[in-house]
Amino acid sequence: MSDLPATPEALDLSAAFLEIAACPQCHSKFALDYDLGELVCSSPDCGLAFPVHDGVPDLRIDAARRPADEVPDPAPSTGSTGSDHAGSDSTGTDADQGEADR
């Protein structure tokens, strides 16, 4: 239980609000994401996720997380860049050390 975020309290939204609330982008209904503490647009074409802080949803479009925000994985770009630099640095260093030993 301790690994779950304490967000159900943050999503303590009234049933009346949830009945009338709609995505400001496409006007679809919301689904609740208790794990992330967000209201998520139910339209697969939209899918914006709006944060909820202390029971107050932030329905500004510029505050929403877009579905594409979940997809990028920074590890491959960082890993390839890091390995490219490490490979060239270690090769140059090995050559310099070999010449210094001779």
Side-chain angles (χ1 to χ4, degrees), residues 51-77:
V52 179
H53 302 286
D54 298 323
V56 179
D58 185 349
L59 298 179
R60 296 175 297 140
I61 293 172
D62 63 338
R65 182 177 52 80
R66 301 197 182 279
D69 293 346
E70 300 173 339
V71 176
D73 184 16
S77 63

Side-chain angles (χ1 to χ4, degrees), residues 4 7-8 11 13 19 21 23 32 36 40 48 50-51 55 59-60 69 71-73 78-80 84 93 96-97:
L4 295 175
T7 55
L11 289 178
L13 302 169
E19 285 180 32
C23 174
L32 298 172
L36 296 177
V40 181
L48 291 177
F50 297 88
L59 298 179
R60 296 175 297 140
D69 293 346
V71 176
D73 184 16
T78 303
S80 64
D84 290 343
T93 305
D96 292 341
Q97 287 177 354

Side-chain angles (χ1 to χ4, degrees), residues 79-94:
S80 64
T81 303
S83 64
D84 290 343
H85 292 298
S88 63
D89 290 343
S90 64
T91 304
T93 305
D94 291 343

